[in-house]
Amino acid sequence: MPGTTFDRLMREEYGKVLAVLARRCGDLDLAEEVLAEALARAAERWPREGEPAQPAAWLTTVARNLLIDRARSNPLEVEWTDAIAEQAEQVAADAPPDHGEFALEDDRLRLLFVCCHPSINQESQMALALRTLCGLTTREIARAFVQDENATAQRLVRAKRKIREARIPFEVPDATQLPERIDTVLAVIYLLFNEGYLAHETEPPVRTDLCAQAIRLGKLACDLVRRHVEAQALVALMLLQHARRAARVRGGELVPMEDQDRGLWHEDDVRAGLAWLDGAIACHRQAQRPPRPYLLQAAIAALHGRAGSSEQTDWPQIAALYDGLLAVLPSPVVELNGAVAHAMAAGAQEGLRRIADLEARGELSGYHLLPAAQADLLRRAGDAGAARAAYRRALALATQPLERRYLERRLHELET
Amino acid sequence: MQYIILIYGDERAYASAPKAASEQMHSAHMQYAKEMTEKNVMVGGSQIAPSTSATTLRLVGGKPVATDGPFAETKEQLGGYYLIECANLDEAIKWAGRCPSIQGGTIELRPLVKHAM
């Protein structure tokens, strides 16, 4: 079996199939076990017999049958739930399992709510969502969170045990619990999107499938909680960022927004993102509350999306939105991005002054994007010597290959 | 699935509370227990006497020896419990969240372990 095809399938189908199985047995560990067995059979049979037309359906059927076998042969360990009984009846009646795309997405949303349950701590929530919904390996998750692989594995084991022991339901919470749960779900959806937007380790580094999944989950969340400003704004934000996917990487190198060929931006996604933002703004006006982070970030992304070029971008407005964002989401990373926007609006020196402030506080020490932003601004200001030094500092910290190549090229240009 | 609702609170504050407040809390618990009984959720439950009434048992030389204590060193002590039957954690969270002692206290919710016979 060509490893790449199988790996791709595994990534694309894993979350879908696992979500269906997990709902059916209410036990993530068991679902993972039978799915692993189904995948092993696929690895053995598909090269000989050819890949089935619907790989997800094939895997679900095989795993479902394994699940029923386990429940039958091991009644003490595997609870014979109503859902499993229903599956067994379907098999007995020789009926095909329900594979409607919507049913699958529904199950993924259920699984997402399980992963985001408030009785699981936040780091585990995200790790669990990446593992179960996106099929990332423990190693990839550990890298994404800059963590030890063993610690991540332990975290996942504990979280899954808790789901089973405390019986966290595979259901979307009802109207009384939904409002308090939705914020975490949105945070995890955006984290999934970001993992796809620039994966830390996986090949390819930009996983559009993961981004598309995150967008789908975001839209499903919007279906669940009508007129939720932040849910709609998050969908808008993701669409507007996703629209740039074809322009973001060129020749194995990350292309900063100002150098991107905007003709490559997906016009449909930009339009859809702007429409979602309009919807969010309309709800926001009715709610009469101060804007929250996703709305502000989507508004920033929309100003970029509407601009024909970096020069035509409304930088003063973007800088003002960053100030607003910093007020509701105080974070040194937001401050750094805001400093760059201020530089674009008021000149490189203004940005460098703000970054120097940030650097003096030491909150971003070890973060490669701080010297990278300094380097870009110094280059703009014409200070080649200081820019070179800053690019070297950034390179000493950067690990993501696409980012490294960009920094190396800039440094090389200044050296010749 | 059975869950236990463990009620933690400052027992000294509770002991020194005005009579009216204690009575109000008591009747709120009565109402709460009544509703859970009607909905077939309640399995059991009780207030627990303050930690000053506690006896600790330990094996000393292979024999159980009773002593005074333990003395409360933490700010909150176990003051009562409810045993409830719910379909899942979300249902249990809903009931536990309505426990009157959440006012001024902390509620811990834990699943009971079911052993195969």
Side-chain angles (χ1 to χ4, degrees):
Chain A
M1 162 132 321
T4 50
T5 314
F6 193 70
D7 287 350
R8 180 184 57 78
L9 263 175
M10 157 102 193
R11 284 200 181 289
E12 285 169 8
E13 311 298 347
Y14 190 89
K16 292 186 205 169
V17 180
L18 185 68
V20 175
L21 295 169
R23 174 176 55 83
R24 285 173 187 171
C25 64
D27 181 338
L28 260 182
D29 262 334
L30 180 63
E32 281 194 319
E33 273 175 38
V34 291
L35 179 53
E37 214 171 313
L39 283 164
R41 288 193 192 182
E44 183 203 348
R45 284 178 56 179
W46 292 1
R48 276 191 284 122
E49 299 166 15
E51 187 183 302
Q54 288 179 287
W58 190 98
L59 287 170
T60 312
T61 306
V62 170
R64 175 189 70 171
N65 293 342
L66 289 167
L67 191 60
I68 295 167
D69 287 348
R70 290 251 192 137
R72 282 219 175 96
S73 61
N74 215 344
L76 285 183
E77 270 177 41
V78 180
E79 197 178 346
W80 187 262
T81 60
D82 291 350
I84 291 184
E86 194 185 305
Q87 297 306 310
E89 276 168 28
Q90 273 190 14
V91 172
D94 206 21
D98 46 350
H99 289 311
E101 187 62 21
F102 184 76
L104 291 176
E105 298 215 321
D106 228 24
D107 278 337
R108 265 184 290 175
L109 197 60
R110 283 195 183 96
L111 183 53
L112 186 59
F113 271 100
V114 171
C115 296
C116 298
H117 199 277
S119 74
I120 299 172
N121 73 47
Q122 201 181 21
E123 278 179 316
S124 303
Q125 290 172 345
M126 295 184 175
L128 205 53
L130 288 170
R131 172 81 199 101
T132 59
L133 283 159
C134 305
L136 260 65
T137 63
T138 306
R139 181 187 161 81
E140 286 165 352
I141 297 165
R143 280 291 174 95
F145 295 140
V146 200
Q147 251 175 6
D148 175 63
E149 203 176 324
N150 281 330
T152 305
Q154 274 303 312
R155 192 185 283 286
L156 286 167
V157 166
R158 276 197 298 268
K160 282 188 280 189
R161 190 187 301 146
K162 181 150 200 181
I163 291 169
R164 190 175 58 244
E165 286 178 354
R167 196 175 290 187
I168 292 175
F170 281 76
E171 292 299 336
V172 170
D174 64 23
T176 57
Q177 292 180 324
L178 195 55
E180 58 195 82
R181 299 272 177 91
I182 197 77
D183 282 352
T184 319
V185 167
L186 297 181
V188 171
I189 290 174
Y190 194 39
L191 191 94
L192 297 184
F193 180 85
N194 280 322
E195 185 54 28
Y197 200 62
L198 187 60
H200 285 71
E201 177 159 336
T202 58
E203 239 0 279
V206 177
R207 285 186 53 200
T208 51
D209 61 314
L210 207 55
C211 293
Q213 272 189 30
I215 291 170
R216 272 202 296 274
L217 289 170
K219 288 180 180 172
L220 275 173
C222 289
D223 279 348
L224 267 175
V225 276
R226 298 272 168 191
R227 311 192 62 73
H228 192 285
V229 179
E230 285 289 273
Q232 293 180 34
L234 176 60
V235 172
L237 173 62
M238 292 191 293
L239 281 167
L240 288 164
Q241 291 181 331
H242 194 47
R244 302 180 208 138
R245 60 191 174 277
R248 285 181 57 233
V249 181
R250 188 172 50 210
E253 182 187 296
L254 209 58
V255 185
M257 195 161 21
E258 60 165 321
D259 299 334
Q260 286 176 15
D261 175 358
R262 295 185 185 214
L264 293 176
W265 287 6
H266 289 249
E267 192 53 39
D268 290 355
D269 286 337
V270 174
R271 264 202 302 276
L274 293 174
W276 276 89
L277 179 59
D278 286 344
I281 289 172
C283 294
H284 168 66
R285 291 219 171 99
Q286 284 181 350
Q288 294 189 327
R289 258 179 298 203
R292 293 181 55 213
Y294 294 130
L295 187 61
L296 291 162
Q297 291 175 84
I300 292 168
L303 286 171
H304 287 306
R306 286 202 184 94
S309 68
S310 183
E311 293 74 35
Q312 290 167 24
T313 305
D314 186 350
W315 288 108
Q317 176 77 357
I318 290 179
L321 284 166
Y322 268 113
D323 291 344
L325 182 60
L326 196 58
V328 291
L329 188 73
S331 118
V333 173
V334 171
E335 207 176 330
L336 178 64
N337 292 332
V340 173
H342 277 284
M344 298 304 284
Q349 292 309 326
E350 173 62 18
L352 287 167
R353 188 185 60 74
R354 285 169 182 262
I355 296 175
D357 265 10
L358 201 51
E359 197 177 20
R361 274 181 276 140
E363 285 171 74
L364 286 179
S365 63
Y367 186 56
H368 64 286
L369 291 181
L370 187 141
Q374 276 176 324
D376 280 340
L377 293 179
L378 288 163
R379 176 174 53 82
R380 259 178 240 281
D383 189 345
R388 277 196 298 270
Y391 279 123
R392 286 197 193 97
R393 285 202 304 280
L395 271 166
L397 297 168
T399 54
Q400 215 291 335
L402 294 189
E403 289 182 325
R404 287 192 62 84
R405 263 174 240 138
Y406 166 78
L407 295 167
E408 279 159 3
R409 178 175 64 81
R410 283 294 190 204
L411 180 61
H412 184 70
E413 282 169 1
L414 290 172
E415 278 169 343
T416 50
Chain B
M1 181 92 174
Q2 291 193 348
Y3 294 86
I4 191 160
I5 295 172
L6 299 164
I7 300 167
Y8 291 89
D10 182 348
E11 60 189 19
R12 265 161 288 193
Y14 184 73
S16 61
K19 193 156 175 272
S22 311
E23 274 170 7
Q24 204 182 350
M25 182 56 89
H26 179 73
S27 71
H29 271 286
M30 286 299 153
Q31 180 60 34
Y32 176 62
K34 181 166 168 268
E35 201 181 330
M36 288 204 293
T37 308
E38 281 166 5
K39 298 270 163 65
N40 287 321
V41 170
M42 178 119 161
V43 178
S46 179
Q47 188 178 352
I48 297 174
S51 61
T52 47
S53 69
T55 303
T56 301
L57 292 157
R58 279 193 195 85
L59 279 184
V60 177
K63 280 186 193 157
V65 173
T67 54
D68 189 12
F71 297 103
E73 282 169 25
T74 48
K75 196 170 172 288
E76 293 191 324
Q77 299 82 33
L78 186 61
Y81 75 96
Y82 285 98
L83 193 59
I84 59 172
E85 172 78 45
C86 289
N88 57 50
L89 183 62
D90 281 355
E91 220 184 286
I93 286 175
K94 266 188 234 168
W95 283 108
R98 294 178 50 192
C99 177
S101 291
I102 199 165
Q103 299 282 347
T106 309
I107 303 292
E108 185 177 330
L109 185 61
R110 289 217 213 163
L112 262 60
V113 177
K114 203 165 84 183
H115 289 287
M117 283 297 143

